Amino acid sequence: MSILSASRRVELSLQLKLALPILGGQLAQTANGFVDTVMAGRVSATDLAAVAVGASVWVPLFLFMAGVLMSATPILSRQLGAAAYHRISPLAQQALWVALGLGLCGALVLRSMAPVLQWMDVDAAMQPMVLGYLEGLSWGIPGAALFLALRSYTEAMAHTRPVLWISVIGLLINIPTNYVLIYGKLGFEPMGGAGCGWATAVVFWCMALMMALYIRFHRAYQRARLTLTPLVFEPGQAGYMLRLGLPVGMTIFFEVSIFAVIALLISSLGPVIVAGHQIALNFASLVFMLPLSLAIAVTVRISNERGRGNGDAVRRAASTSLWLTGGAGVTAGIALWLLREQVPLIYTSNPAVQQLAASLLLYAALYQVSDAFQVAANGALRGFEDTAVPMMYTLLSYWGIGLPVGFILGRTDWVVPAMGPAGFWIGLLAGLTSAAVLLGLRLRWRLQRIG
C-alpha cells in the first residue's frame, strides 16, 4: 500500500513541477554571484572583498524588490483559479508599474552609497572599487525589477520553465562579460572586481528582454496573455500590490540584511575575514534556493486553490510543502557538513580564507532545517495574502534576536571571548529558529480558520 494517498501524490507532483524549474532558475541567478566571487577572487583578495561588500549592499535591495513583486503571484494565481482571465493582464500591468518605480528608486540608492561605506568604516582601499561596482550595477536595477515582475506573472500562470532557461542564458552571458570587463579584453580597460557590477547590469537587461519576448509569443499564455494595449494604470490595484508586497519585501530584507550587516561589521577586520565570510555565505545561498523554490510553488498552489474555494486542497498544499522543505533542509545540512572542507577550494587558493570558510559552513549546516521551515511557512502565508504579521515576526526574530546575539558573541567579551564571524553565524541560527517557530504557529492558525 502506498504511503501517500492519491490526492497527496497529485499535490506533490504539482508542487515539484512548479518548483524544479524555479529552482533551476534561482540556482542560475545565484550562480552569477558565484561566478563573480570566483572570477574576482582570482584577481586578488581585495577584489574579492570589494565584490563581497558590494553584494552585501545590492543583494538585499534586489531581494526586497523581488519580495514586493512576489505580491503579484498570489493575486494573479487566485484570478487564474477563479477563471477570471480578463483581469489577469490589467493586474499584471500594475506589477510592471510598481516594478518601474522600484527599479528607478533602487538605482538612485546604489549611486548614493559613498557616505554609508565611510560611516561603516569599510577599508579605504576597497571603497573606490566597491563604488565602481555599485555604479555599474545601478544601470541594471530597473531591468532587474521588470524581469522580476514578468517572472511573477509567468509563475502565477503555472508556467515556470522560462524562468529556468532565461536564467541559464543570463548566466552564460555573465561569464564572458565578466571576463572582458574584469581583465580588460576587446579594448576595454581592466576594471577588476568593479567589472562584475557592469556585467551584471548587462545580464539583467538581457533577461528582462528575453522574458518579455517569450511572454509575447508563447502559446502557454494564450488564455490570459499579458499585453500593453490598452495600457492601464489602476491606482487601487497597484496600491494593494504595494500593501501586500511591501511586508513581503521587508520580510526578505530583514533576513538578508542580517547577512549584509554582518559583512559590513566584519569588513574592518581585513580582506581575509571578509573573503571567508563571503565564500560561506555565497555557497549557503546556493543551497537555500531549494527551499525558496518550494516556497514559491506553495504560494502559487495555495492562492490557486483559494480562488477555486477548495479548503481541503489548501490544507494539503501547505502540509505537503512543509514535508518537502523539511526534507530539503535535512539533506542540505548533511551535505554542507560533509563538504565543508572541499567547498572553499572552489573559490580560492588562500589557505587562511579556506580554513575560515570551512568553519563557517559548519554553522550554515546547523541552521538549514530552521531556514527551510521558516521560508516554507512564509510561502504558504503569502498564498493566503497574509504578509503583515509575518513581517513583524521576522523583524523580531532577525533583528530582535539574531543580530543582537550575533553581535554579543562576535564582537564583545560579555558572554565568551569575542568569536568573530562565528559568533554572528550562531546568532543567525537563533534568529532563523525563532522565525520558524513563530511563522509555523501563524500558518497553523490560518489553516484552522479555513471553512
Short mmCIF file of all heavy atoms in Angstrom, two decimals, residues 242-285:
data_model
loop_
_atom_site.label_atom_id
_atom_site.label_comp_id
_atom_site.label_asym_id
_atom_site.label_seq_id
_atom_site.Cartn_x
_atom_site.Cartn_y
_atom_site.Cartn_z
N LEU A 242 1.25 46.95 -3.51
CA LEU A 242 2.27 47.51 -2.62
C LEU A 242 1.98 47.17 -1.16
O LEU A 242 2.89 46.82 -0.41
CB LEU A 242 2.36 49.03 -2.81
CG LEU A 242 3.17 49.52 -4.01
CD1 LEU A 242 3.03 51.02 -4.16
CD2 LEU A 242 4.64 49.14 -3.85
N ARG A 243 0.70 47.29 -0.76
CA ARG A 243 0.36 46.97 0.64
C ARG A 243 0.62 45.51 0.95
O ARG A 243 1.05 45.16 2.06
CB ARG A 243 -1.11 47.30 0.91
CG ARG A 243 -1.42 48.78 0.95
CD ARG A 243 -2.78 49.05 1.58
NE ARG A 243 -3.86 48.38 0.88
CZ ARG A 243 -4.49 48.87 -0.19
NH1 ARG A 243 -4.10 50.03 -0.70
NH2 ARG A 243 -5.48 48.21 -0.74
N LEU A 244 0.37 44.64 -0.03
CA LEU A 244 0.63 43.22 0.17
C LEU A 244 2.12 42.91 0.03
O LEU A 244 2.67 42.08 0.77
CB LEU A 244 -0.17 42.41 -0.86
CG LEU A 244 -0.11 40.88 -0.75
CD1 LEU A 244 -0.73 40.41 0.56
CD2 LEU A 244 -0.82 40.24 -1.94
N GLY A 245 2.77 43.59 -0.92
CA GLY A 245 4.15 43.25 -1.24
C GLY A 245 5.20 43.88 -0.35
O GLY A 245 6.25 43.27 -0.10
N LEU A 246 4.94 45.08 0.15
CA LEU A 246 5.94 45.73 0.99
C LEU A 246 6.29 44.90 2.23
O LEU A 246 7.47 44.77 2.57
CB LEU A 246 5.49 47.13 1.38
CG LEU A 246 5.64 48.19 0.28
CD1 LEU A 246 4.99 49.50 0.69
CD2 LEU A 246 7.12 48.42 -0.05
N PRO A 247 5.30 44.32 2.94
CA PRO A 247 5.68 43.45 4.06
C PRO A 247 6.50 42.23 3.62
O PRO A 247 7.40 41.80 4.34
CB PRO A 247 4.33 43.03 4.65
CG PRO A 247 3.38 44.09 4.26
CD PRO A 247 3.85 44.53 2.90
N VAL A 248 6.20 41.68 2.42
CA VAL A 248 6.99 40.55 1.92
C VAL A 248 8.42 41.02 1.65
O VAL A 248 9.40 40.35 2.03
CB VAL A 248 6.37 39.96 0.64
CG1 VAL A 248 7.22 38.80 0.13
CG2 VAL A 248 4.94 39.50 0.89
N GLY A 249 8.55 42.17 0.98
CA GLY A 249 9.88 42.71 0.71
C GLY A 249 10.63 43.00 1.99
O GLY A 249 11.84 42.70 2.10
N MET A 250 9.94 43.55 2.99
CA MET A 250 10.60 43.83 4.26
C MET A 250 10.97 42.55 4.98
O MET A 250 12.03 42.47 5.63
CB MET A 250 9.69 44.68 5.15
CG MET A 250 9.44 46.10 4.63
SD MET A 250 10.97 47.03 4.33
CE MET A 250 11.65 47.12 5.98
N THR A 251 10.12 41.52 4.88
CA THR A 251 10.43 40.23 5.49
C THR A 251 11.73 39.67 4.93
O THR A 251 12.62 39.24 5.68
CB THR A 251 9.28 39.24 5.25
OG1 THR A 251 8.11 39.72 5.91
CG2 THR A 251 9.63 37.86 5.78
N ILE A 252 11.83 39.66 3.61
CA ILE A 252 13.06 39.18 2.97
C ILE A 252 14.23 40.08 3.32
O ILE A 252 15.34 39.61 3.62
CB ILE A 252 12.87 39.09 1.45
CG1 ILE A 252 11.80 38.03 1.12
CG2 ILE A 252 14.18 38.76 0.75
CD1 ILE A 252 11.43 37.97 -0.34
N PHE A 253 13.97 41.39 3.33
CA PHE A 253 15.04 42.33 3.65
C PHE A 253 15.56 42.12 5.08
O PHE A 253 16.76 42.18 5.31
CB PHE A 253 14.53 43.76 3.49
CG PHE A 253 15.54 44.81 3.81
CD1 PHE A 253 16.52 45.16 2.89
CD2 PHE A 253 15.55 45.45 5.04
CE1 PHE A 253 17.46 46.12 3.18
CE2 PHE A 253 16.50 46.42 5.35
CZ PHE A 253 17.45 46.76 4.41
N PHE A 254 14.66 41.87 6.02
CA PHE A 254 15.08 41.66 7.40
C PHE A 254 16.03 40.47 7.51
O PHE A 254 17.01 40.51 8.27
CB PHE A 254 13.87 41.42 8.31
CG PHE A 254 13.00 42.63 8.50
CD1 PHE A 254 11.63 42.48 8.71
CD2 PHE A 254 13.52 43.91 8.45
CE1 PHE A 254 10.82 43.58 8.89
CE2 PHE A 254 12.71 45.02 8.62
CZ PHE A 254 11.36 44.85 8.84
N GLU A 255 15.74 39.40 6.75
CA GLU A 255 16.60 38.24 6.81
C GLU A 255 17.92 38.48 6.09
O GLU A 255 19.00 38.27 6.64
CB GLU A 255 15.91 37.01 6.20
CG GLU A 255 16.80 35.77 6.20
CD GLU A 255 16.13 34.54 5.64
OE1 GLU A 255 14.94 34.59 5.30
OE2 GLU A 255 16.81 33.51 5.56
N VAL A 256 17.81 38.95 4.84
CA VAL A 256 19.03 39.10 4.03
C VAL A 256 19.92 40.21 4.56
O VAL A 256 21.16 40.10 4.52
CB VAL A 256 18.64 39.35 2.56
CG1 VAL A 256 19.89 39.59 1.71
CG2 VAL A 256 17.87 38.17 2.01
N SER A 257 19.31 41.27 5.07
CA SER A 257 20.13 42.39 5.55
C SER A 257 20.95 42.02 6.78
O SER A 257 21.98 42.65 7.06
CB SER A 257 19.24 43.59 5.87
OG SER A 257 18.29 43.28 6.87
N ILE A 258 20.52 40.98 7.49
CA ILE A 258 21.35 40.48 8.59
C ILE A 258 22.72 40.07 8.05
O ILE A 258 23.77 40.42 8.60
CB ILE A 258 20.67 39.28 9.29
CG1 ILE A 258 19.43 39.75 10.05
CG2 ILE A 258 21.64 38.58 10.22
CD1 ILE A 258 19.72 40.56 11.27
N PHE A 259 22.70 39.33 6.94
CA PHE A 259 23.96 38.91 6.32
C PHE A 259 24.76 40.12 5.84
O PHE A 259 25.98 40.17 5.97
CB PHE A 259 23.68 37.97 5.15
CG PHE A 259 23.07 36.66 5.53
CD1 PHE A 259 21.69 36.50 5.52
CD2 PHE A 259 23.85 35.60 5.91
CE1 PHE A 259 21.11 35.30 5.87
CE2 PHE A 259 23.28 34.38 6.27
CZ PHE A 259 21.91 34.23 6.25
N ALA A 260 24.05 41.11 5.28
CA ALA A 260 24.73 42.30 4.79
C ALA A 260 25.37 43.08 5.93
O ALA A 260 26.52 43.52 5.83
CB ALA A 260 23.73 43.19 4.04
N VAL A 261 24.63 43.25 7.02
CA VAL A 261 25.16 43.99 8.16
C VAL A 261 26.36 43.26 8.76
O VAL A 261 27.36 43.89 9.14
CB VAL A 261 24.07 44.21 9.22
CG1 VAL A 261 24.66 44.75 10.52
CG2 VAL A 261 23.03 45.18 8.70
N ILE A 262 26.28 41.94 8.81
CA ILE A 262 27.42 41.17 9.32
C ILE A 262 28.64 41.41 8.45
O ILE A 262 29.76 41.63 8.96
CB ILE A 262 27.07 39.67 9.39
CG1 ILE A 262 26.04 39.42 10.49
CG2 ILE A 262 28.32 38.83 9.64
CD1 ILE A 262 25.48 38.02 10.48
N ALA A 263 28.44 41.38 7.12
CA ALA A 263 29.58 41.61 6.22
C ALA A 263 30.19 42.98 6.45
O ALA A 263 31.42 43.14 6.45
CB ALA A 263 29.12 41.46 4.77
N LEU A 264 29.35 43.98 6.66
CA LEU A 264 29.85 45.32 6.90
C LEU A 264 30.53 45.44 8.27
O LEU A 264 31.56 46.11 8.41
CB LEU A 264 28.72 46.34 6.77
CG LEU A 264 28.14 46.50 5.36
CD1 LEU A 264 26.89 47.37 5.38
CD2 LEU A 264 29.17 47.09 4.40
N LEU A 265 29.96 44.77 9.28
CA LEU A 265 30.53 44.85 10.62
C LEU A 265 31.90 44.18 10.70
O LEU A 265 32.75 44.59 11.50
CB LEU A 265 29.59 44.21 11.64
CG LEU A 265 28.34 45.03 12.00
CD1 LEU A 265 27.40 44.21 12.88
CD2 LEU A 265 28.72 46.33 12.71
N ILE A 266 32.13 43.15 9.89
CA ILE A 266 33.42 42.47 9.94
C ILE A 266 34.38 43.00 8.88
O ILE A 266 35.53 42.55 8.81
CB ILE A 266 33.27 40.94 9.79
CG1 ILE A 266 32.77 40.57 8.38
CG2 ILE A 266 32.35 40.37 10.86
CD1 ILE A 266 32.75 39.08 8.13
N SER A 267 33.91 43.96 8.03
CA SER A 267 34.77 44.44 6.94
C SER A 267 36.04 45.09 7.45
O SER A 267 37.07 45.07 6.77
CB SER A 267 33.99 45.41 6.05
OG SER A 267 33.62 46.56 6.77
N SER A 268 35.98 45.67 8.67
CA SER A 268 37.17 46.33 9.22
C SER A 268 38.20 45.32 9.74
O SER A 268 39.32 45.71 10.09
CB SER A 268 36.76 47.28 10.35
OG SER A 268 36.13 46.56 11.40
N LEU A 269 37.83 44.03 9.79
CA LEU A 269 38.75 43.00 10.28
C LEU A 269 39.74 42.54 9.22
O LEU A 269 40.63 41.75 9.51
CB LEU A 269 37.96 41.80 10.82
CG LEU A 269 36.98 42.10 11.96
CD1 LEU A 269 36.24 40.83 12.37
CD2 LEU A 269 37.69 42.73 13.14
N GLY A 270 39.56 43.01 7.97
CA GLY A 270 40.53 42.70 6.93
C GLY A 270 39.97 41.84 5.82
O GLY A 270 38.95 41.16 6.00
N PRO A 271 40.64 41.83 4.67
CA PRO A 271 40.15 41.10 3.49
C PRO A 271 40.00 39.60 3.71
O PRO A 271 39.10 38.99 3.15
CB PRO A 271 41.20 41.40 2.42
CG PRO A 271 41.85 42.66 2.86
CD PRO A 271 41.84 42.63 4.35
N VAL A 272 40.87 38.98 4.49
CA VAL A 272 40.79 37.52 4.68
C VAL A 272 39.50 37.15 5.40
O VAL A 272 38.79 36.20 5.00
CB VAL A 272 42.02 37.01 5.47
CG1 VAL A 272 41.83 35.55 5.88
CG2 VAL A 272 43.28 37.16 4.62
N ILE A 273 39.15 37.87 6.46
CA ILE A 273 37.92 37.59 7.20
C ILE A 273 36.70 37.80 6.30
O ILE A 273 35.79 36.97 6.25
CB ILE A 273 37.82 38.49 8.44
CG1 ILE A 273 38.99 38.23 9.39
CG2 ILE A 273 36.49 38.28 9.15
CD1 ILE A 273 39.00 36.88 10.02
N VAL A 274 36.68 38.91 5.56
CA VAL A 274 35.56 39.21 4.68
C VAL A 274 35.43 38.15 3.59
O VAL A 274 34.33 37.69 3.27
CB VAL A 274 35.71 40.61 4.06
CG1 VAL A 274 34.60 40.87 3.04
CG2 VAL A 274 35.68 41.68 5.14
N ALA A 275 36.57 37.75 3.02
CA ALA A 275 36.54 36.77 1.94
C ALA A 275 36.02 35.42 2.44
O ALA A 275 35.22 34.75 1.77
CB ALA A 275 37.93 36.61 1.34
N GLY A 276 36.47 34.98 3.63
CA GLY A 276 35.98 33.71 4.18
C GLY A 276 34.49 33.74 4.45
O GLY A 276 33.77 32.78 4.15
N HIS A 277 34.02 34.84 4.99
CA HIS A 277 32.59 35.00 5.24
C HIS A 277 31.82 34.98 3.93
O HIS A 277 30.76 34.33 3.83
CB HIS A 277 32.35 36.33 5.97
CG HIS A 277 30.91 36.73 6.05
ND1 HIS A 277 30.04 36.17 6.95
CD2 HIS A 277 30.19 37.63 5.33
CE1 HIS A 277 28.83 36.71 6.79
NE2 HIS A 277 28.92 37.59 5.82
N GLN A 278 32.32 35.66 2.90
CA GLN A 278 31.63 35.73 1.61
C GLN A 278 31.53 34.36 0.96
O GLN A 278 30.49 34.01 0.39
CB GLN A 278 32.34 36.70 0.68
CG GLN A 278 31.80 36.74 -0.74
CD GLN A 278 30.37 37.24 -0.83
OE1 GLN A 278 29.84 37.74 0.16
NE2 GLN A 278 29.75 37.08 -1.99
N ILE A 279 32.57 33.56 1.04
CA ILE A 279 32.53 32.22 0.46
C ILE A 279 31.46 31.37 1.13
O ILE A 279 30.64 30.72 0.47
CB ILE A 279 33.91 31.56 0.56
CG1 ILE A 279 34.90 32.22 -0.42
CG2 ILE A 279 33.82 30.05 0.28
CD1 ILE A 279 36.33 31.80 -0.24
N ALA A 280 31.45 31.37 2.46
CA ALA A 280 30.45 30.58 3.19
C ALA A 280 29.05 31.07 2.88
O ALA A 280 28.12 30.27 2.67
CB ALA A 280 30.73 30.65 4.69
N LEU A 281 28.87 32.38 2.84
CA LEU A 281 27.55 32.96 2.58
C LEU A 281 27.09 32.65 1.16
O LEU A 281 25.93 32.30 0.92
CB LEU A 281 27.59 34.46 2.80
CG LEU A 281 26.32 35.24 2.45
CD1 LEU A 281 25.14 34.71 3.24
CD2 LEU A 281 26.53 36.73 2.72
N ASN A 282 28.00 32.77 0.20
CA ASN A 282 27.64 32.53 -1.19
C ASN A 282 27.20 31.09 -1.41
O ASN A 282 26.18 30.83 -2.07
CB ASN A 282 28.82 32.87 -2.10
CG ASN A 282 28.50 32.70 -3.57
OD1 ASN A 282 28.83 31.70 -4.18
ND2 ASN A 282 27.84 33.69 -4.14
N PHE A 283 27.92 30.13 -0.84
CA PHE A 283 27.55 28.73 -1.05
C PHE A 283 26.27 28.39 -0.28
O PHE A 283 25.41 27.65 -0.78
CB PHE A 283 28.69 27.80 -0.62
CG PHE A 283 28.50 26.40 -1.12
CD1 PHE A 283 28.80 26.08 -2.43
CD2 PHE A 283 28.01 25.40 -0.28
CE1 PHE A 283 28.61 24.79 -2.91
CE2 PHE A 283 27.82 24.11 -0.76
CZ PHE A 283 28.13 23.80 -2.07
N ALA A 284 26.12 28.92 0.93
CA ALA A 284 24.89 28.70 1.69
C ALA A 284 23.69 29.28 0.94
O ALA A 284 22.59 28.71 0.98
CB ALA A 284 25.00 29.31 3.08
N SER A 285 23.89 30.40 0.24
CA SER A 285 22.81 30.99 -0.56
C SER A 285 22.41 30.09 -1.72
O SER A 285 21.23 30.00 -2.07
CB SER A 285 23.24 32.36 -1.09
OG SER A 285 23.50 33.25 -0.02
#
